[in-house]
Amino acid sequence: MKKSNLIHKTIFLGWLIAASTNAVNAAVTYEYSGNNFTNVISPYDTSMSVSGNFTVDSLLVNVGGQVSLDSFSFSDGVHTLTSQDNVSVFFQFDTDGFGDILNWEIIIDTPRPEVVGQTGFGIRTRGIPNISGFQTFDVGYIAQCTSAAFGECRSFETIASGVFNEFDNPGSWSIVPIPPAIWLFGSGLLGLIGLARRKKSA
């Protein structure tokens, strides 16, 4: 192999590695698709489920705990709640070295009702290890204040909900899109391997 060709290939490989590193640090969107609800109270029905997405500054590599998001949008088939709404949120994840989500808990709630008859709603999804297996719990709900005192609601009643709750049957997470530089890195490596084999056989 000529020295100049070796230098060019080394530079190209270094560029691919740098590009893939930058891709890991670029904004990433995660999408969730839950299973259809199995227990419902109208207006929810069994064709509905929890689904949504969130965007973070970079791939969630080896994360364990709460995460700050750039934006999010989740739906339960009746309501859609986003980062632009007045909501309280809790997003917690455990991820692996590739940024894939292993366990999660997401809670998104509208403000707490304060007077009798006022309603609030929310969306929740959770996938966590449990002594009986991997527990998945997805819910969309509407709750009504049934008693209040001193400008604060003291009790609630769930008046509508869609629930999925089964062991070892989680919804699915995907990263969309997979950062393009990672694809470039992989295809570049395959190309270099192909060139090396061609030189060897020649």
Side-chain angles (χ1 to χ4, degrees):
M1 182 186 294
K2 290 184 180 178
K3 190 174 182 181
S4 62
N5 284 345
L6 180 60
I7 291 170
H8 289 152
K9 287 179 181 178
T10 302
I11 291 171
F12 179 61
L13 182 58
W15 176 81
L16 286 172
I17 292 170
S20 66
T21 301
N22 289 336
V24 170
N25 294 323
V28 174
T29 297
Y30 285 80
E31 289 191 349
Y32 177 71
S33 180
N35 295 295
N36 286 358
F37 297 138
T38 51
N39 298 293
V40 295
I41 302 172
S42 180
Y44 294 91
D45 63 51
T46 54
S47 70
M48 297 175 182
S49 63
V50 170
S51 62
N53 63 77
F54 67 87
T55 301
V56 285
D57 287 337
S58 59
L59 204 61
L60 299 178
V61 177
N62 293 323
V63 166
Q66 287 186 252
V67 173
S68 296
L69 311 180
D70 292 341
S71 63
F72 67 84
S73 177
F74 276 80
S75 172
D76 60 8
V78 175
H79 301 107
T80 298
L81 296 173
T82 77
S83 48
Q84 303 301 311
D85 296 320
N86 179 21
V87 290
S88 61
V89 300
F90 179 83
F91 284 82
Q92 179 170 292
F93 303 99
D94 288 327
T95 68
D96 63 17
F98 298 99
D100 292 322
I101 293 174
L102 305 176
N103 312 318
W104 70 91
E105 183 166 16
I106 296 173
I107 301 172
I108 310 170
D109 290 320
T110 60
R112 183 184 180 98
E114 295 180 351
V115 298
V116 175
Q118 188 177 24
T119 60
F121 52 91
I123 298 170
R124 314 226 173 150
T125 175
R126 179 175 61 190
I128 56 174
N130 184 285
I131 193 167
S132 302
F134 189 86
Q135 183 185 29
T136 301
F137 177 76
D138 288 355
V139 61
Y141 74 89
I142 303 171
Q144 185 177 67
C145 178
T146 56
S147 70
F150 306 107
E152 181 181 328
C153 188
R154 298 301 175 92
S155 62
F156 296 89
E157 178 187 355
T158 300
I159 59 174
S161 63
V163 179
F164 175 85
N165 188 11
E166 283 187 11
F167 284 105
D168 299 324
N169 188 14
S172 61
W173 285 98
S174 60
I175 303 172
V176 182
I178 293 175
I182 291 179
W183 286 112
L184 183 61
F185 177 65
S187 61
L189 280 180
L190 288 174
L192 287 175
I193 291 168
L195 283 173
R197 285 182 176 171
R198 204 175 293 168
K199 289 275 185 185
K200 201 171 185 180
S201 63

